[in-house]
Every structure is written in C-alpha cells, then in structure tokens.
Amino acid sequence: MRNIVAKKVTELPRPNGDPWSVPYVSVIVPVMNERRTLRKVIREAFRVHPHTEVIVVVNGSTDGSLDIAKKSGAKVLFYDRPLGHDVGRSIGAREARGNILLFIDADMVIPAAKLKAFVHAVAQGTDVALNDYSGPVNKTVVHGVVLAKHALNELLGRPDLGGTSMTAIPHAISRKALSVLGTSALSVPPMAHTMAIREGLKVERVISINVGQLNPIRAKRERNNSLEPLIVGDHLEAIQWWLRKTDSRGGYEDGARQRWMVR
C-alpha cells in the first residue's frame, strides 16, 4: 500500500465467510511514530479474545514502527504520509471483519484485562461502549475539549454520559453500530457519537481508564500545533449536524418568551 493516497472511506457490509475463520473482535490501532510502545500495545490487543484480529494503520511513520507492526502478526495497512487525526480509525474499521470493533491508540499500553470490559459490554448488547473518563473538571480553568464533551452530551439529552465520548479510547462498537454510522463518520468521533445517539443506538459508559495520565505529554506539539482547536471544531461540527436534524434550539423549548414583541 506504499505511495497510496487514502481515498474517501465508505462503509462495508458485514463480511461473509466461514464463521470459524472470521474473527470475533477487530482491534484497530492507528500508528504514527510510536515504536516505543507499539509492541506492547499489539501484544495486549491480541489477548482481548481468542478470535481477534489486530489491524495496525501505520501512517507517516519514520521511526521504525512499520517494521515492528509487520513482525507482530497484525494486519498492517501502510501509508507513507500522515492521514490526519482519527482517519486511521475509519480506514481500520473499513477493513475490519469482526462482530465487535475495539479502538485503541498505539501510544498507550492498556492491559487486556481492562480492554476486555469494552468487548464484553458490546457482547452483552451495548452498541457503543465508552471509556468512563470525563476528564479533569475540578480546575479553575477547564480544558476546552473537556468542556466540549460535557456540553455536547447535555445538548444530546445524555447528561448521564458526563464528558465521555468516542473521542477518547478505548471504546468499542458493534457491527450494527458500524452499519448505522458508516466508517466515514469515525474520522470525526464527536459526529459518530452524536449520530449514534440520534439513531437510538445503545450508548453506555463501561469502566474508567484515566487516559489523561497515560497519554504522553507532547509539549512541543501543544505549543506549535495543539489538537484542542481541531477537537473543539469536531464538536461544533457535530452540534451543527444535530441542529439540522432537530431545530435551531436543538430540541429545547423556548418557554413563554414572546420574541415577536421586539422584532
């Protein structure tokens, strides 16, 4: 797949074939220069279920991550340029054959024992199993992404979800959810999150994994190319989509306000 430019990702039907050869779980791992943790991440991914495929989407890596992925036994999709934030999820999901899709990141080593909780939740009927992590809120200044997640869930009528979101890993979805959402939506996680709730899918919190502590600090990136504006923009895009599906107030009443009196 070298020198291939990623095309628009579209949804695929559920794969057919010998049920004994089709994996039960597909673990999708986007990778961009994560050789330090990649081997351990893949090892834990394979331990999630006896019938697991691990799909590693290597994009724009120059640190040897590709060689590690090739030797791991995972299915490797390689792109010689960065695909952009979260696009690797969509591409991995497009290739996935499992009944359950689990999304993790290559820079966070999460034990399989914890990852199994998300797979189990989907196996028990949940369509979107979320990491029960709402981010740090007991601060004088709360990060914009944390605020955006809480605000979106309030708008969607799901305050019970707090600041949980498909933006955060790990999370898992059912084959049904993939069919409803399509793979393209996974490139903008708040959009997929919003669509899942709008379409009546069962979206639930599972267990809490503090990815804030696990996520490596990238001071240089945050100074020069912070992801905060991108992710907040993703939430605004999701809110715009929700308003188009409801009304200008997102389905919330205007009370007894007589606006016509001042027009």
Side-chain angles (χ1 to χ4, degrees):
M1 300 183 71
R2 190 180 298 271
N3 296 323
I4 294 177
V5 177
K7 297 179 180 179
K8 182 179 179 181
V9 181
T10 56
E11 67 178 88
L12 292 181
R14 192 196 184 294
N16 296 315
D18 181 358
W20 294 103
S21 64
V22 174
Y24 184 67
V25 180
S26 298
V27 185
I28 291 91
V29 190
V31 178
M32 184 177 171
N33 292 337
E34 271 112 14
R35 64 169 296 142
R36 183 179 63 85
T37 51
L38 181 57
R39 186 176 289 102
K40 293 180 180 179
V41 168
I42 295 174
R43 180 189 64 198
E44 295 302 316
F46 271 118
R47 293 175 175 174
V48 165
H49 188 274
H51 299 288
T52 295
E53 67 172 355
V54 178
I55 300 174
V56 178
V57 185
V58 181
N59 63 107
S61 287
T62 57
D63 69 341
S65 293
L66 177 61
D67 291 334
I68 293 173
K70 285 180 175 179
K71 295 174 182 177
S72 69
K75 179 177 183 178
V76 181
L77 307 178
F78 175 63
Y79 295 82
D80 62 0
R81 66 200 69 187
L83 298 175
H85 200 55
D86 296 319
V87 174
R89 294 184 186 181
S90 291
I91 289 180
R94 182 181 63 186
E95 300 296 326
R97 298 180 297 148
N99 292 326
I100 298 171
L101 282 68
L102 174 66
F103 298 89
I104 59 177
D105 283 345
D107 58 354
M108 299 185 203
V109 182
I110 301 172
K114 292 185 176 180
L115 296 175
K116 288 177 182 179
F118 299 90
V119 173
H120 179 73
V122 175
Q124 295 299 309
T126 298
D127 291 306
V128 180
L130 299 173
N131 180 3
D132 189 8
Y133 174 71
S134 292
V137 294
N138 298 322
K139 291 187 173 184
T140 303
V141 178
V142 179
H143 196 277
V145 171
V146 176
L147 290 173
K149 291 177 180 178
H150 281 81
L152 180 60
N153 283 330
E154 287 284 347
L155 175 66
L156 301 180
R158 292 296 305 274
D160 59 297
L161 294 178
T164 63
S165 169
M166 289 180 71
T167 297
I169 57 93
H171 64 265
I173 66 174
S174 64
R175 175 61 57 173
K176 172 186 173 182
L178 182 64
S179 177
V180 169
L181 302 175
T183 55
S184 294
L186 301 179
S187 295
V188 185
M191 177 69 77
H193 181 90
T194 300
M195 292 172 65
I197 292 174
R198 172 69 178 173
E199 297 299 325
L201 296 177
K202 187 176 182 181
V203 180
E204 302 290 344
R205 303 187 294 184
V206 182
I207 63 170
S208 178
I209 298 177
N210 192 333
V211 290
Q213 292 181 349
L214 292 175
N215 198 10
I217 297 175
R218 297 180 174 88
K220 181 178 179 181
R221 187 193 70 183
E222 288 303 306
R223 285 196 306 269
N224 301 328
N225 189 27
S226 173
L227 287 176
E228 182 178 0
L230 171 69
I231 299 175
V232 170
D234 287 349
H235 283 77
L236 292 174
E237 183 178 343
I239 289 172
Q240 183 184 48
W241 183 89
W242 179 265
L243 293 177
R244 288 201 302 266
K245 297 294 182 179
T246 54
D247 54 43
S248 62
R249 292 178 58 85
Y252 284 82
E253 295 182 0
D254 201 17
R257 186 180 292 131
Q258 303 294 315
R259 299 189 186 212
W260 61 272
M261 293 289 290
V262 291
R263 290 177 180 168

